[in-house]
Amino acid sequence: MAAHSSSQSDIVVIGGGVVGGAIALGLARNGARVTILDEGDVAFRASRGNFALVWVQSKGLGMPEYAMWSRRSADQWSVLADVLQEEAGLDVAHSQPGGFMLCLSEAELEQRRQAMHRLHNQTSLADFPYEILDHAETKRRLPDIGRDVVGSVYSPLDGHVNSLKLFRALREATERRGVVYRPNCTVDRIAARDGGFLLSGAFGEIAAGKIVLAAGLGNARLAPMVGLDAPVKPSKGQIIVTEKTAPFLHNPMVTIRQTDEGGVMIGDSQEDRGFDTVVGQPILSVMAERAVKMFPRLAGLNVVRSWSALRVMSPDGFPIYDQSASHPGAFLVTCHSGVTLAANHALTLAPAILSGTLPPSLDAFSARRFHVPAHH
Ligand SMILES: Cc1cc2nc3c(=O)[nH]c(=O)nc-3n(C[C@H](O)[C@H](O)[C@H](O)COP(=O)(O)OP(=O)(O)OC[C@H]3O[C@@H](n4cnc5c(N)ncnc54)[C@H](O)[C@@H]3O)c2cc1C
């Protein structure tokens, strides 16, 4: 499909991370002419530093809709992987073998058990499968665990991908669909014009009928320009990667996974923060020490890289999806698990944005929730 000039765009997506890329792909697949404006390499890019889990089991304590939304995306992920294979010619190494949370003390396991119980009580979803496993059963399924592992939580819903390949595939697929990607285009101002929007910055101006704010941490500044609210803040995460080694870990853990290329990633996932006081410390040595207790063979591997990146965190940790009431046609999309939710963003959210209305099932994700006074 031939690329179109960006002046003809129906929709401009601000932000070319994994969230903006997935939305743009979904819009283009449904026939929209799309331009992505991306700030470029000076920006914080959560999409390039992530842990690549497609994770469900611990999500949604405090918002059952988020548990269901995460599950839906995990269910749809193989469809997205097929789309990317077909449209970009790239295998993003998606698999859903089930994931474990390993616990290193009885107290930790008990904390997990209670958290899962609370999570499932509120969702009242009988079909959210998970198991609490003791050491012996965990070892039967993961023979390489160390003796410090007292047990685990297992869910067959969890999986992972190769997130750098995902990022590349989104770029490739959107380009083949004619999406115009414009790097080094920081949007400084958004104004309403002619029933649509005029975006401007050092790059010049561009008009759009609709806009999608998918600028990660940049959304906080942009949202008020069109009557939206994105009170997102950075939350730092650190990741260690080892040298490549023969495949031994076929399931992802919430803090350890072996990539399709053989390296082992060790991270301090905070996706379940709020009830986890043990795993949240952003200190590389603590992460490494815990990882070696979980899998002693990791002690023999060299670390080849480590980095930190900033998550895009809302006040309650849940995504924000909104259409502006004062500026209809301006949409906001922001979340801290853009890999997990990529399938929903491309396959469900993008068509809804194109139709002009977000479905009632997404009402719970509006930023209005931050402004409603609590009443008991
Ligand atoms: C350490 C870590 C681990 C993670 N692990 C996981 C995981 O295991 N599973 C999972 O699902 N998710 C994970 N994530 C989150 C994931 O990486 C998502 O990318 C995240 O949800 C945010 O994506 P994003 O596209 O919104 O933001 P970003 O990747 O930050 O992209 C935003 C883009 O907007 C652009 N931008 C900003 N302001 C402007 C502007 N004014 N004009 C134009 N462009 C602008 C920037 O240039 C940037 O490219 C992790 C994140 C981190 C940091």
Side-chain angles (χ1 to χ4, degrees), residues 264-287:
V264 178
M265 295 176 77
I266 301 166
D268 81 313
S269 172
Q270 296 181 2
E271 296 183 11
D272 50 332
R273 78 200 187 121
F275 62 87
D276 183 358
T277 53
V278 185
V279 192
Q281 299 179 48
I283 304 168
L284 294 178
S285 60
V286 173
M287 286 160 50

Side-chain angles (χ1 to χ4, degrees), residues 244-266:
K244 295 185 168 83
T245 186
F248 73 98
L249 201 51
H250 302 288
N251 304 77
M253 318 289 123
V254 74
T255 56
I256 304 176
R257 59 179 284 266
Q258 187 168 23
T259 73
D260 56 306
E261 289 161 342
V264 178
M265 295 176 77
I266 301 166

Side-chain angles (χ1 to χ4, degrees), residues 1-3 16-18 20-22 24-26 28-29 36 48 80 83-92 163-181:
M1 192 181 287
V18 74
L25 177 61
R29 277 170 54 80
I36 299 174
R48 296 196 180 181
L80 177 63
V83 165
L84 292 170
Q85 178 72 63
E86 202 183 302
E87 304 223 354
L90 286 168
D91 177 1
V92 297
S163 64
L164 291 177
K165 287 183 187 164
L166 167 63
F167 203 49
R168 230 186 92 206
L170 287 171
R171 180 66 51 77
E172 182 68 28
T174 46
E175 198 176 315
R176 289 192 193 178
R177 281 271 171 186
V179 172
V180 176
Y181 175 79

